[in-house]
Amino acid sequence: KAGVTQTPRYLIKTRGQQVTLSCSPISGHRSVSWYQQTPGQGLQFLFEYFSETQRNKGNFPGRFSGRQFSNSRSEMNVSTLELGDSALYLCASSLTQTDGVKNIQYFGAGTRLSVL
Amino acid sequence: SQKIEQNSEALNIQEGKTATLTCNYTNYSPAYLQWYRQDPGRGPVFLLLIRENEKEKRKERLKVTFDTTLKQSLFHITASQPADSATYLCALDPGSLTYKYIFGTGTRLKVLA
């Protein structure tokens, strides 16, 4: 079974631009979460989608947005990029949460975004 | 405020020894706690999950404990090998139906041959 695929792997943008990152979850996984990872802050939760609906959102400004398609693939968008947005963006997919049991998250390799 | 702390940013140990990593949290009452391993340039990989009513969980050379009174989890790697060198992250869920995990900043473990 193929793992979580994130594209592109590397991206260089300049301040003020916008960027779209893509994530294809493991087949059968309907939950997709996005995280930002930086050396100082660690892994920070951005948002989680299930069946095209955002179920939770982290403490990030509105410049960060996402969506999920009917095939469970997800995209996240960052508008008006700032230098501080330089980070590794990770996507994780998991099986549907059942009986209140949190499920294992399977991570992609991430997209390394550099904002100049 | 709510936070998760992992004992040290980096830990060096000699091959064959037991590595012990600590995860402390405040102002959470998690039902589950997970440990992940992350290698450079890769996403985290799940290792173990422990529930609040479990004191200990083992998997091969790995052992995790969970003390909800101390609000602490310990992660042990016995007979450590250089291949165990990586960053280890703990993660907890802040409550049911929140659909997210909170991650610690990680401990970078280096096993010296």
Side-chain angles (χ1 to χ4, degrees):
Chain A
K1 201 181 245 190
V4 177
T5 304
Q6 290 189 248
T7 56
R9 287 295 313 278
Y10 304 93
L11 210 47
I12 299 175
K13 293 285 186 180
T14 55
R15 279 183 301 173
Q17 287 188 310
Q18 75 154 12
V19 66
T20 299
L21 312 181
S22 180
C23 172
S24 293
I26 291 172
S27 177
H29 287 194
R30 294 165 65 189
S31 170
V32 173
S33 299
W34 287 90
Y35 295 86
Q36 180 194 67
Q37 187 173 34
T38 58
Q41 297 295 318
L43 262 168
Q44 301 284 309
F45 172 79
L46 281 157
F47 25 67
E48 189 264 0
Y49 285 89
F50 177 77
S51 290
E52 302 177 67
T53 300
Q54 185 183 90
R55 296 195 295 189
N56 207 337
K57 190 177 190 302
N59 297 323
F60 280 83
R63 300 184 297 106
F64 292 81
S65 63
R67 59 178 176 167
Q68 187 180 35
F69 302 95
S70 58
N71 61 359
S72 294
R73 191 178 70 84
S74 177
E75 289 181 347
M76 68 162 280
N77 184 279
V78 188
S79 62
T80 319
L81 283 166
E82 299 177 0
L83 295 178
D85 296 334
S86 294
L88 178 67
Y89 290 88
L90 289 160
C91 164
S93 74
S94 62
L95 287 169
T96 309
Q97 182 176 331
T98 58
D99 300 325
V101 176
K102 281 293 196 301
N103 286 297
I104 297 165
Q105 295 193 88
Y106 296 85
F107 285 85
T111 295
R112 173 76 60 186
L113 173 65
S114 297
V115 182
L116 306 178
Chain B
S1 63
Q2 300 173 316
K3 59 181 179 180
I4 304 175
E5 289 182 336
Q6 295 193 236
N7 57 324
S8 57
E9 194 173 311
L11 180 66
N12 292 343
I13 64 164
Q14 210 62 38
E15 183 177 9
K17 300 293 186 183
T18 296
T20 299
L21 284 61
T22 305
C23 177
N24 295 297
Y25 57 92
T26 56
N27 296 330
Y28 286 114
S29 296
Y32 306 89
L33 192 142
Q34 297 183 352
W35 283 88
Y36 288 78
R37 167 183 173 143
Q38 186 173 24
D39 291 287
R42 294 176 177 263
V45 174
F46 170 80
L47 295 174
L48 282 168
L49 177 151
I50 187 165
R51 296 175 173 78
E52 61 177 339
N53 60 350
E54 296 176 321
K55 295 294 184 187
E56 183 180 297
K57 202 77 167 283
R58 290 175 184 263
K59 178 183 175 183
E60 298 172 353
R61 294 184 296 111
L62 308 180
K63 184 178 85 171
V64 172
T65 63
F66 192 10
D67 189 324
T68 55
T69 302
L70 292 178
K71 293 187 180 293
Q72 180 181 80
S73 174
L74 298 179
F75 177 80
H76 307 272
I77 305 175
T78 58
S80 59
Q81 304 165 1
D84 295 326
S85 298
T87 296
Y88 292 85
L89 303 161
C90 66
L92 59 80
D93 81 284
S96 62
L97 301 181
T98 56
Y99 309 115
K100 70 177 182 182
Y101 277 107
I102 309 297
F103 280 81
T105 51
T107 296
R108 194 170 59 251
L109 174 68
K110 187 170 184 179
V111 181
L112 306 169

